[in-house]
Amino acid sequence: MKPLRRILLPLLFWLLVWQLAATGLALANAQNTGKALAWTAALAQGHVLLLPAPFAVISRLAELAGTALFWRSALLSLVRIFTGLAVGVALGTLLAALTWAFKGADLLLSPAVRVVRATPVASFIVLVLLWVRTGLVPGVISGLMVLPVVWETVRRGIGETSPELLELAQAYGFSRGKTLRLIYIPSVLPYFTSGVLNGLGLAWKSGVAAEVLCQPRWAVGTELYRSKISLDTPALFGWTLVVLLLSLVLERALSAGLRQLERRRGS
């Protein structure tokens, strides 16, 4: 009951704040323009252009959810960004192992990873748009943004592997594969999990931002941009809510899978 209350109370509070702000803005605008506006209309709609009420947004979202465009855009955005995330995680893990094991690789590759981490997302989107097809840009950007995060955390995990355990493995004559499986992987796995979960939010936000700029045919970011230029503010809020919900679902699913993997490795 307590976890449910911790979720519902903040949600209800901010919905109330949103509702009051939308209603107040609608009534103030009606008064300034000299038009009469009923309380019921203000409560239901809010200021449709600047700040629509929660009911108006949910109604518009329900309309959108009844179309094939909605589901295709949401699904393809999810596929693009998750694919980019998976590739970024794999490359980040591989680069972390290479730069830790070989000084030459560290000398050549670590500066490049740090440059990727420091470069603004918008710059990368514009550059990648010159090199790859529009539909691939969100996935590439997501992968690029998550790569440095995973690289840093996995590298830290490798560095903090217990020296005593490594000495024990050497004393018992463990092969490299056995040392990797029994010592390095269990030691690095919590860092890997943290890196993936931290990179997920960054990958999702940067991927949607890339969709807004490059506008693939079927994408949540494309629909966000279309809602903005058509001044369909309830739809803009609705698509933003879709982004939040998809991010939350993906994070919960990924977190559950990684925690399960940790428990299996620990058992």
Side-chain angles (χ1 to χ4, degrees):
M1 187 64 182
K2 187 177 288 186
L4 184 63
R5 186 171 59 191
R6 289 174 63 88
I7 295 172
L8 288 178
L9 284 179
L11 178 62
L12 291 174
F13 172 77
W14 287 110
L15 280 174
L16 179 60
V17 171
W18 178 7
Q19 179 67 65
L20 291 174
T23 303
L25 188 60
L27 292 172
N29 180 71
Q31 186 176 10
N32 290 337
T33 57
K35 298 178 180 178
L37 183 65
W39 270 95
T40 53
L43 285 170
Q45 299 297 322
H47 194 295
V48 178
L49 182 60
L50 297 180
L51 185 62
F55 178 78
V57 173
I58 293 172
S59 298
R60 187 71 179 98
L61 183 57
E63 292 177 12
L64 293 171
T67 65
L69 170 70
F70 175 88
W71 296 104
R72 187 175 295 182
S73 298
L75 179 60
L76 289 179
S77 289
L78 196 61
V79 168
R80 288 187 193 101
I81 294 170
F82 186 79
T83 302
L85 172 70
V87 173
V89 167
L91 289 177
T93 304
L94 177 62
L95 288 177
L98 285 174
T99 54
W100 177 262
F102 304 106
K103 290 184 178 180
D106 185 37
L107 179 67
L108 295 175
L109 298 176
S110 291
V113 176
R114 293 188 176 95
V115 167
V116 171
R117 182 173 55 190
T119 304
V121 178
S123 299
F124 264 128
I125 294 172
V126 174
L127 287 172
V128 172
L129 190 56
L130 296 174
W131 301 329
V132 301
R133 289 193 298 110
T134 300
L136 298 177
V137 173
V140 173
I141 294 299
S142 297
L144 282 173
M145 293 301 104
V146 77
L147 187 154
V149 178
V150 174
W151 171 80
E152 185 176 8
T153 53
V154 171
R155 185 180 165 91
R156 187 185 306 128
I158 296 172
E160 295 184 8
T161 301
S162 172
E164 290 79 9
L165 289 177
L166 293 175
E167 290 177 5
L168 187 64
Q170 188 175 10
Y172 278 94
F174 283 9
S175 65
R176 289 184 178 180
K178 193 172 183 180
T179 303
L180 175 67
R181 188 176 71 256
L182 297 180
I183 296 179
Y184 276 113
I185 291 180
S187 176
V188 172
L189 194 54
Y191 295 89
F192 173 80
T193 299
S194 174
V196 172
L197 294 179
N198 288 334
L200 173 61
L202 186 60
W204 186 255
K205 288 185 288 188
S206 60
V208 173
E211 289 181 342
V212 171
L213 288 180
C214 68
Q215 298 180 46
R217 184 179 179 186
W218 307 102
V220 171
T222 302
E223 298 309 315
L224 278 168
Y225 182 77
R226 288 175 179 170
S227 301
K228 178 257 183 185
I229 62 173
S230 62
L231 301 180
D232 188 355
T233 310
L236 180 62
F237 273 73
W239 281 110
T240 303
L241 186 59
V242 170
V243 172
L244 295 174
L245 291 175
L246 287 177
S247 177
L248 181 62
V249 168
L250 190 58
E251 181 181 355
R252 290 297 176 89
L254 199 56
S255 178
L258 290 171
R259 301 303 178 193
Q260 183 68 24
L261 179 61
E262 283 188 9
R263 284 193 291 269
R264 287 183 179 179
R265 295 297 306 183
S267 61

